[in-house]
Amino acid sequence: MLTTQEANQAEENIRFGRVLLFSEGSERFGGNRTLMRELLGGKGAGLAEMTAAGVNVPPGMTILTSQCREYYKDGGKLPAALLDEAKEQLKRIEERLDRKLGCTQKPLLLSVRSGAKFSMPGMMDTILNLGMNDDTVEAMAVLTGNARFAWDSYRRFIQMYSNVVLDLSKDRFEDILYDKKESLRVTNDTDLTAANLKDLVSEYKAFVKRERKIDFPQNTDDQLKGAIEAVFKSWNNNRAIYYRNLSKIDHNIGTAVTVQAMVFGNFDNDSATGVCFTRNPSTGERVLYGEYLINAQGEDVVAGIRTPEKISDMAKTMPVVYKELEETALRLEKHYKDMQDIEFTIQQGELFLLQTRTGKRTAAAAIKVAVDMAAEGIINKQTALTRVEPVQLNQLLLPSFDPQAKEAARREGRLLATGLNASPGAAIGHIIFEPDEAEKVAVEHSKKVILVRVETCPDDIHGIVPARGVVTSRGGMTSHAAVVARGMGKPCVAGCEDFRVDLDREEVHVKDQVLRKGDVISIDGSTGEIFSGAIATHEPKLSPEFQTLLTWADETRLLRVRTNADTPEDAQRARDFGAEGIGLCRTEHMFMSQDRLPAVQEMIMAGSVTEREHALAKLLPMQREDFIGIFEAMNELPVTIRLLDPPLHEFLPKYEDLIEEVAILKTKGVTGEELRSRELLLDKVHQLKESNPMMGLRGCRLGLMYPEINRMQVQAIFEAAIAVQKKGLTVYPEIMIPLIGHVNELKLARIMLEATAKEVMEREGVTIEYKFGTMIEIPRACVTANEIAEYAEFFSFGTNDLTQMTFGYSRDDAEGKFLQKYLEGITWNNQTTKVLQHNPFEVLDQSGVGKLMKLAVEYGLQTRPDLKLGICGEHGGEPSSIAFAHQLGLSYVSCSPYRVPLARLAAAQATISVEEKDK
Amino acid sequence: MLTTQEANQAEENIRFGRVLLFSEGSERFGGNRTLMRELLGGKGAGLAEMTAAGVNVPPGMTILTSQCREYYKDGGKLPAALLDEAKEQLKRIEERLDRKLGCTQKPLLLSVRSGAKFSMPGMMDTILNLGMNDDTVEAMAVLTGNARFAWDSYRRFIQMYSNVVLDLSKDRFEDILYDKKESLRVTNDTDLTAANLKDLVSEYKAFVKRERKIDFPQNTDDQLKGAIEAVFKSWNNNRAIYYRNLSKIDHNIGTAVTVQAMVFGNFDNDSATGVCFTRNPSTGERVLYGEYLINAQGEDVVAGIRTPEKISDMAKTMPVVYKELEETALRLEKHYKDMQDIEFTIQQGELFLLQTRTGKRTAAAAIKVAVDMAAEGIINKQTALTRVEPVQLNQLLLPSFDPQAKEAARREGRLLATGLNASPGAAIGHIIFEPDEAEKVAVEHSKKVILVRVETCPDDIHGIVPARGVVTSRGGMTSHAAVVARGMGKPCVAGCEDFRVDLDREEVHVKDQVLRKGDVISIDGSTGEIFSGAIATHEPKLSPEFQTLLTWADETRLLRVRTNADTPEDAQRARDFGAEGIGLCRTEHMFMSQDRLPAVQEMIMAGSVTEREHALAKLLPMQREDFIGIFEAMNELPVTIRLLDPPLHEFLPKYEDLIEEVAILKTKGVTGEELRSRELLLDKVHQLKESNPMMGLRGCRLGLMYPEINRMQVQAIFEAAIAVQKKGLTVYPEIMIPLIGHVNELKLARIMLEATAKEVMEREGVTIEYKFGTMIEIPRACVTANEIAEYAEFFSFGTNDLTQMTFGYSRDDAEGKFLQKYLEGITWNNQTTKVLQHNPFEVLDQSGVGKLMKLAVEYGLQTRPDLKLGICGEHGGEPSSIAFAHQLGLSYVSCSPYRVPLARLAAAQATISVEEKDK
């Protein structure tokens, strides 16, 4: 009996086959692009689609991802029928090209590449020039009239195949090549003659024989089989797994294999290879952007071994082909309705496209491309809105270097060098050379790190992730470092040849200076400049396209976006970023400031209500001033003010410190006032001490035990509101009572505080429009929201605390003690299982916390259909949580000022996504 | 416009009137006893029902409770129509008796009493002999031919009326009486002649005139009006409010007023007054039980001023009336189907019943009465089960004095005196005389207190509640102290005349000894004995009736009852009380014992897994022995064992203590090993320290971070199970993983631990039937119970932690910081509002925590229809929570051993109550 899974697979094999020609893919899937990507992989789907769109693509075939899954299910065995089907399809390619794999007259050479549903650049293996052997190399020499090219291709093939299939280090072959050049006293690979290369092939083959005890495979069918299997295997190499973890890609989807007729960019000087974006991936400007290398193979560009030419130069060197490339780019953009990242090869003046995919881009580019394409009529506004990842926006809102500070640094001679502006942004950090060390220093010691390498490779990812920025001395705009850094929104200066990096000594020689590990540098990824020392940064500005996009977002979204701000400055900044009010103004931050702490402590140490009121009277004018500033900044917008929330001991010295102090004083024999005052303080702190302060006397409980504190705050709020209103501005204060768990808490607090509010308004003869509401941050509040809504005009979900209580996690303790492990996974019997997919304090836990929120919304609206609902936890600035807030039908999210643009966009995307679903 | 409330009231007034005669009450309400109690109060309803049942009741009328509510609603004004209606009804009484209020020929005298829906004995005011004035007193003298009686009644009336209506202290009148007797050189009230009493009346009136500047009211209508209003006012006197708070009676229901023709127990020596229970309220024995006083009024008995005769003596002194009383008792029991507490008066040989109500009784009596009445066919078994308050059972399960220890004390001459065995049970404590001080010492200093008084009165309740027991030197079995103590299940020795209590000096003179405040005594409320010093107590035994009742409970209930037990002794005790398994065996208690702590600490301090396993290996045999003992005690019953739950720092010294120690060592200049070892420990404790340990590394999180700990425990469980099974016993271990919040935690833990279980079973070649399950104590677990149930064969609600997380309360902090205030109420604008009605850690919060439990049950059963469900928090032993567990459809509750009988009964009552509802 077949299992269901096996039966599905069998059916799939019959419906779609195991191997499809590029020319039959698009038709077979009836244009279902998702299914194409799933079964042909991104690369295979792209080639099939390009072929169907009439683009000049070298013919080839794709082995479906289903085969990779079958391969792993069978414990690493190629599916039985796969090779037969592949050979049959290959025959059709051979017929079409009038060449044949392994043929000693007209040999066909193949490239074998990986291609999963999601792009994993450079993570898996590739083999070029497959089909080369001792016989076909001669045939190629004859056929092309270029013996040197033939032998060079053969030696490249041996090197690559041996590395990928036979697991021999690339470096060992490079050493042999180096020795060869040394012995011949030549510098460049191109200086080697056909004869030299033929010798090199012999040496390579001898090396393989020595190391692996086998002759280098001469049978081309065996070569093909080995290559296919190697690609399947590379799906599960360490860097691929790391990348998938990082990019949250399912480990079970497998890769497809594309087998394609080779074309040769290294055929002659009318040949070339290149990669290019249809627009500038850094700025979004509408111009071909990329590099090419004359007389080279694609790997040379990607690996950054030779520094390539800018694509714009091609307009001069190869004007006809360049024009064709431009036309092709346009055709592809119109077809795919997005910016493309293409690989091409020119063989003897003929342009072949090898690959196209959606181009990765910086946030700035994403915005400009989306807005431009909408303006060009390629896409509509809604699609434009979905083209920018909200989290990417963060990088645009990071500070950049202050131009004057940079100018000064330049004058002071601190500009060390300028490389390629590979990924924009400003970063300051300590130079670290080794990825392992970068990870250690950045993660464990929390230091800012700039990773400096000759070039980076996929194995270095763990050092790039935690670094503030990356510098390489080799490689172009499409080198590994550049691509990865752009994807992560991390500043990168690539190919800075003036930076002579000595990895062994951990030094950089630049001009006449030496930089060492730990030295601080500042890099500007937008200009490619590298400075010694730190340079002052300054506030970001939104580009016109960014503004446009956000305006479109505002037209689309239903969720309002507010900000969490405790000062007039933050309030103003958020407003500049488009905040539509304050969703959370935490008053305790006002209590913490150094000039107020004495009055706050006096209030806490008070022995009676009268004493406490005396201390509170000192705080009143200060609080009033705070609120005046905030109300002014938020003229005409609502301001939600949360009354004092934290336990009072947070405003006093730490218990342990006092115990230690008193013990020392006593042991020293100190007596009198000095000891007495510390002991008094210790007593008070002891009295306030709690075993679980998170769940103790705080929030509304504090206000119910000491109503005079909240009354002072409400008095300050209303006096401030009246003062601002008298200036002709409009205020909408919303008083928020935290930590409500039982309706009676809110009922009581509201009665008391509204009395104060009315008292102030009557005294001043001014009426203020205001609301009273509560944070929903206690599970009990969620399940009794129908009762609570009787006294609350708004609910603001405090998702931080709600997550803590719902999970039973104290965030501080959890993150220090077990949460990391829960996220990394727990290993048992060699299998690692993640307990949690996301940190619930970053990404809202929809199935747990979210379920409680859903109940709260339902119950709350039952009682009060016009209840205002919002989120004011950190989740208010996280896209998936914003989407959830939209689904719940909340009125607004509130987030930190810098997250406001992100939230505006994410809210729009949430609206679009729900609309899509409703279609 | 009338408000809804006013409209309802108006309608009620029309339907039922404002004042009803006893003879029309039963008919008017169509026998709806609940409505009768609500509107006529318990006393009024009883009189109406007694009258309807043909019992000889003095005629009278009842002013409905609605009038009291109206009185308060109108700000303390008697409803306009009330007096007119009352006078109209009074006319009918006057006609029937051929007497008339205020008539100078045939005056009618009235009693005016309170009577709320719920009995509040002695809490509100009563006035007797109303209708007496300077004219009617003469008429009474003529009419009865007993001038002394007439003047004595008048002087009593003045005293009572002045006290209740004019707010003059009783004592002032007693002083005048005392002075009078002094001046006449007589001892007893009965020695006063009619002339003496007439003088006294003059003096009383003069005193009233002096103090209140008014003549004592002579108009009998004014007297009646004043009395009615006084009863209404007494609804809100301090002791009534205190009592209602204590008994959880709604403050808004108000009292009725019964106005009844007086009969006179003090008419002559053929007259008497008495109170009696139809069965012994202390033991439940079927015999008239109570007291009477010849030639006295009811107040004399209740107030305990004269020590009355036992009711059984009446069989000799008044045989005819006694027989009538017995017959009446029987009739009332059959009518009301419960034991009655009746007040009667004999006037010139004629028996009148003044009041009947359900008799308060001890737990032992409640059980015996219920079981006996079922045997007698008066009630059925189900009704019998509802007749015992589960919480009352606690008093039966309290230790009693060890008979040998008591005998020894007797031999040592420590028996001080013997009083009335007014409320059973054994108590040991320090003598305290003042209720205020008793409260202070017992509550604030947590000392055991015996309250010793001459007699108690309603004002003393706050001192009785916290006392372990009560001794009075005056008053009988129905005196205030006796009634109240029995109701509370508190030992009481009443009327111990050998105890000469000197309240001023705070001394007791007993025989030739003097006891002083603070001296320890032991009192046996079951025998009336008082011993000096403490006497050893011993384990309680269940009476045969108790066993019978529990057997009936077992036949009725659907919920199973398990116990929380961590030792074989506790397990055995619980089994003796009927536990059907262990619902919670906490393994950390085994870790805490002094002989194991070193190994536990070694385990915690371990630097590596190997070191930790080494320490765990030492704990393994000890844990195994623990489990063997428990499995043996629970042969054939399931045993749920919870794996280690608390944070590890609980097993180490306190952080603050170590800080202090190290600071002192350093300041003293100590170095070397002594300092180093403390510093090492401090480091570890610091490392384990958490800001909110309740929500930190504990429960399953601990087991996932250090799987070896749980593995050792599971190994010990299975090795023990196998060892016990090999002895021929049957074990059903259920492994419970605590604090699950996410399904993956349980999934992982279960995989790891089942591997260990299987390993042990394979090694030993024995199969054990076992289950894996989890505690549901995290809100997230409730809302994702469908996922969790995939890996849990049972859910046990840990309602303690679930309450903490759902409310966001840390129990320790909350109870110390704000919970008390939440329960007492917060005062604002002279109104006190309770935030919480019950302590949620004692009484399960059904609307919050309960709602989450309901979700968990629904979701859990969706996934696993045979999921076993239970409660193992403290709520498992609280009746209302048990009823809730039944409603939820749980399989079992688990509680402490002593609570098992309570839980069996409460579970039966829950079943009956649901069945009733379904009818």
Side-chain angles (χ1 to χ4, degrees), chain A residues 498-563:
Chain A
D498 286 344
F499 250 48
R500 277 160 295 130
V501 177
D502 184 333
L503 292 179
D504 286 340
R505 297 186 155 201
E506 302 204 304
E507 286 175 1
V508 180
H509 294 261
V510 52
K511 294 171 191 161
D512 48 0
Q513 285 187 52
V514 179
L515 301 173
R516 295 204 171 73
K517 184 169 81 174
D519 287 352
V520 171
I521 55 174
S522 300
I523 69 172
D524 188 337
S526 316
T527 61
E529 292 160 306
I530 304 175
F531 294 87
S532 66
I535 291 178
T537 54
H538 83 150
E539 290 300 324
K541 285 237 169 8
L542 305 186
S543 69
E545 286 87 359
F546 199 165
Q547 297 281 21
T548 304
L549 193 76
L550 289 178
T551 311
W552 295 349
D554 295 346
E555 290 162 7
T556 304
R557 70 189 160 93
L558 297 177
L559 271 178
R560 305 233 143 245
V561 175
R562 296 198 190 179
T563 191

Side-chain angles (χ1 to χ4, degrees), chain B residues 218-265:
Chain B
Q218 293 294 317
N219 180 313
T220 51
D221 284 354
D222 289 350
Q223 286 179 1
L224 182 59
K225 184 182 169 215
I228 292 169
E229 194 164 359
V231 171
F232 283 166
K233 274 187 185 151
S234 71
W235 172 253
N236 271 341
N237 69 32
N238 289 340
R239 57 177 198 265
I241 291 173
Y242 185 91
Y243 185 91
R244 287 199 297 269
N245 281 336
L246 199 73
S247 313
K248 302 190 168 53
I249 297 174
D250 183 353
H251 291 292
N252 296 313
I253 56 173
T255 182
V257 184
T258 60
V259 179
Q260 191 173 20
M262 284 292 295
V263 286
F264 296 97

Side-chain angles (χ1 to χ4, degrees), chain B residues 532-608:
Chain B
S532 67
I535 292 177
T537 54
H538 83 150
E539 290 300 323
K541 285 234 167 14
L542 305 187
S543 69
E545 286 88 359
F546 199 165
Q547 297 282 20
T548 304
L549 192 78
L550 290 178
T551 311
W552 296 350
D554 295 346
E555 289 163 7
T556 305
R557 69 188 159 93
L558 297 177
L559 271 177
R560 305 231 143 247
V561 175
R562 296 198 191 180
T563 192
N564 301 348
D566 313 332
T567 64
E569 295 70 38
D570 274 359
Q572 188 55 55
R573 179 174 301 120
R575 193 168 190 162
D576 293 344
F577 284 148
E580 298 163 287
I582 289 181
L584 175 61
C585 171
R586 301 177 199 82
T587 53
E588 56 269 23
H589 290 190
M590 304 168 178
F591 275 53
M592 289 285 185
S593 74
Q594 283 309 310
D595 52 330
R596 297 172 188 191
L597 215 46
V600 173
Q601 292 184 348
E602 186 186 328
M603 184 268 286
I604 297 170
M605 299 290 290
S608 67

Side-chain angles (χ1 to χ4, degrees), chain A residues 846-883:
Chain A
Q846 296 183 16
S847 50
V849 178
K851 212 176 271 177
L852 284 174
M853 290 170 70
K854 200 154 173 278
L855 287 177
V857 170
E858 275 173 31
Y859 291 156
L861 292 175
Q862 271 169 26
T863 300
R864 191 186 285 266
D866 64 343
L867 186 69
K868 220 162 153 182
L869 298 156
I871 283 188
C872 67
E874 273 175 57
H875 301 98
E878 192 279 322
S880 74
S881 312
I882 293 170

Side-chain angles (χ1 to χ4, degrees), chain A residues 275-444:
Chain A
V275 291
C276 99
F277 290 86
T278 55
R279 308 196 179 210
N280 185 324
S282 197
T283 64
E285 202 190 342
R286 192 182 172 189
V287 60
L288 284 190
Y289 180 91
E291 297 131 333
Y292 74 111
L293 269 172
I294 289 186
N295 202 355
Q297 279 196 328
E299 294 303 299
D300 301 332
V301 182
V302 175
I305 291 168
R306 276 167 57 193
T307 302
E309 306 297 318
K310 281 194 180 163
I311 203 95
S312 51
D313 295 346
M314 226 174 107
K316 287 171 218 149
T317 55
M318 295 177 151
V320 179
V321 180
Y322 186 74
K323 195 147 186 286
E324 205 184 333
L325 184 61
E326 281 188 321
E327 283 165 13
T328 305
L330 203 64
R331 196 180 312 143
L332 284 170
E333 274 200 349
K334 284 206 173 141
H335 181 81
Y336 287 105
K337 297 183 186 301
D338 202 352
M339 178 181 104
Q340 296 297 301
D341 169 0
I342 57 188
E343 276 183 33
F344 63 90
T345 284
I346 300 157
Q347 181 173 320
Q348 296 172 290
E350 185 180 356
L351 174 70
F352 290 97
L353 256 66
L354 302 184
Q355 191 185 132
T356 188
R357 56 187 176 195
T358 303
K360 286 185 187 284
R361 64 206 82 175
T362 63
I367 292 166
K368 185 164 167 55
V369 168
V371 172
D372 284 356
M373 280 194 164
E376 291 159 21
I378 298 178
I379 56 176
N380 62 19
K381 286 182 186 179
Q382 284 219 340
T383 306
L385 283 167
T386 63
R387 284 290 166 78
V388 181
E389 270 294 327
V391 285
Q392 275 191 308
L393 302 186
N394 285 345
Q395 79 185 77
L396 296 182
L397 298 173
L398 290 177
S400 56
F401 291 127
D402 175 53
Q404 295 189 329
K406 213 160 96 169
E407 194 42 49
R410 227 177 257 125
R411 276 198 308 273
E412 289 158 16
R414 284 165 54 203
L415 177 62
L416 297 169
T418 302
L420 298 173
N421 52 344
S423 178
I428 304 167
H430 301 271
I431 294 177
I432 299 289
F433 296 94
E434 287 303 321
D436 288 349
E437 192 173 359
E439 190 176 26
K440 201 181 166 72
V441 171
V443 178
E444 294 177 22

Side-chain angles (χ1 to χ4, degrees), chain A residues 655-656 659-660 663-664 667-668 687-697 700-701 704-705 711 742 744-745 747-748 751-752 755 778-780 783-784 786-787 804-810 812-813 817-818 821-822 826-828 833-836 845 847-849 851-852 855 859, chain B residues 655-656 659-660 663-664 667-668 687-697 700-701 704-705 711 742 744-745 747-748 751-752 755 778-780 783-784 786-787 804-810 812-813 817-818 821-822 826-828 833-836 845 847-849 851-852 855 859:
Chain A
Y655 184 57
E656 301 91 54
I659 285 207
E660 191 172 5
I664 291 172
T667 312
K668 281 187 179 163
Q687 192 189 315
L688 292 174
K689 191 175 160 9
E690 293 179 310
S691 19
N692 298 282
M694 174 87 56
M695 308 167 85
L697 183 54
C700 67
R701 303 163 194 169
L704 289 173
M705 295 300 111
R711 280 208 296 271
H742 194 289
N744 286 346
E745 294 174 317
K747 182 179 161 187
L748 268 164
I751 290 172
M752 291 184 195
I778 298 278
R780 195 178 186 285
V783 293
T784 61
N786 47 335
E787 297 171 10
Q804 295 200 100
M805 304 294 177
T806 304
F807 274 84
Y809 291 173
S810 158
D812 291 345
D813 301 320
K817 295 278 192 311
F818 60 88
K821 188 93 184 155
Y822 270 24
I826 287 169
T827 303
W828 169 252
T833 310
K834 286 185 179 188
V835 178
L836 298 174
D845 163 53
S847 50
V849 178
K851 212 176 271 177
L852 284 174
L855 287 177
Y859 291 156
Chain B
Y655 183 59
E656 300 92 52
I659 286 206
E660 191 172 5
I664 292 173
T667 311
K668 279 186 178 161
Q687 192 188 314
L688 292 174
K689 192 174 160 7
E690 293 179 312
S691 21
N692 298 282
M694 173 87 57
M695 308 169 84
L697 183 53
C700 68
R701 303 164 193 168
L704 289 172
M705 294 301 111
R711 280 208 297 270
H742 194 290
N744 286 346
E745 294 174 317
K747 182 179 162 187
L748 268 164
I751 290 170
M752 292 183 192
I778 297 277
R780 196 180 186 283
V783 293
T784 63
N786 47 335
E787 297 170 10
Q804 295 200 102
M805 305 294 177
T806 304
F807 273 86
Y809 290 173
S810 158
D812 291 345
D813 300 321
K817 295 276 192 313
F818 60 86
K821 189 91 187 157
Y822 270 26
I826 287 169
T827 304
W828 169 253
T833 310
K834 286 185 179 190
V835 179
L836 298 174
D845 162 52
S847 50
V849 178
K851 213 176 270 176
L852 285 173
L855 288 176
Y859 291 157

